[in-house]
Amino acid sequence: MMFPLLCVFALALAVIPGSVANGMVTPGYCLNNKLQDQNKGVKYLGTTENAVECFNKCRAKVGKGCEWSKNKRCYLHTEEVLVGNGNPYYVCLVTKMNAIVQDSTTSYSY
């Protein structure tokens, strides 16, 4: 059965990479609660040089996640995201309780 294996994969990704004050950073593009690419509620925020700049742009908005790709594109997720899929070309920030909170004291070490 494929579903339990996918759950274990998703949980492993959620635990391994590390957390930031606003949520969990995982490698890969953001997946929804069905472990599918989250394409609903995606807003393009422009280009940024790195994931930290992208996450800071997202923090200025209200959303449930943030996604950065190595081609320097930054996206805000307004629909639920669960975890990144592990693709090394992307980084997914899953926010705590799926709400980005503005906090100027937060620093990222990604």
Side-chain angles (χ1 to χ4, degrees), residues 54-80:
C54 176
F55 295 165
N56 285 333
K57 272 189 167 185
C58 288
R59 288 174 59 226
K61 309 284 184 188
V62 175
K64 298 182 178 187
C66 191
E67 183 176 302
W68 182 78
S69 66
K70 289 187 178 178
N71 66 3
K72 302 181 180 183
R73 294 181 184 206
C74 180
Y75 302 92
L76 174 72
H77 284 277
T78 61
E79 298 290 326
E80 181 179 5

Side-chain angles (χ1 to χ4, degrees), residues 18-29:
S19 63
V20 294
N22 289 47
M24 182 68 66
V25 175
T26 60
Y29 54 80

Side-chain angles (χ1 to χ4, degrees), residues 76-93:
L76 174 72
H77 284 277
T78 61
E79 298 290 326
E80 181 179 5
V81 294
L82 179 65
V83 67
N85 76 335
N87 183 328
Y89 194 75
Y90 295 85
V91 181
C92 178
L93 171 67

Side-chain angles (χ1 to χ4, degrees), residues 4-50:
L5 180 60
L6 289 174
C7 289
V8 170
F9 175 73
L11 288 174
L13 285 176
V15 173
I16 294 169
S19 63
V20 294
N22 289 47
M24 182 68 66
V25 175
T26 60
Y29 54 80
C30 297
L31 302 177
N32 62 21
N33 61 358
K34 294 180 182 177
L35 298 178
Q36 299 168 334
D37 186 8
Q38 179 57 284
N39 291 316
K40 294 180 182 175
V42 179
K43 295 185 178 186
Y44 179 62
L45 298 182
T47 60
T48 61
E49 286 300 311
N50 55 53

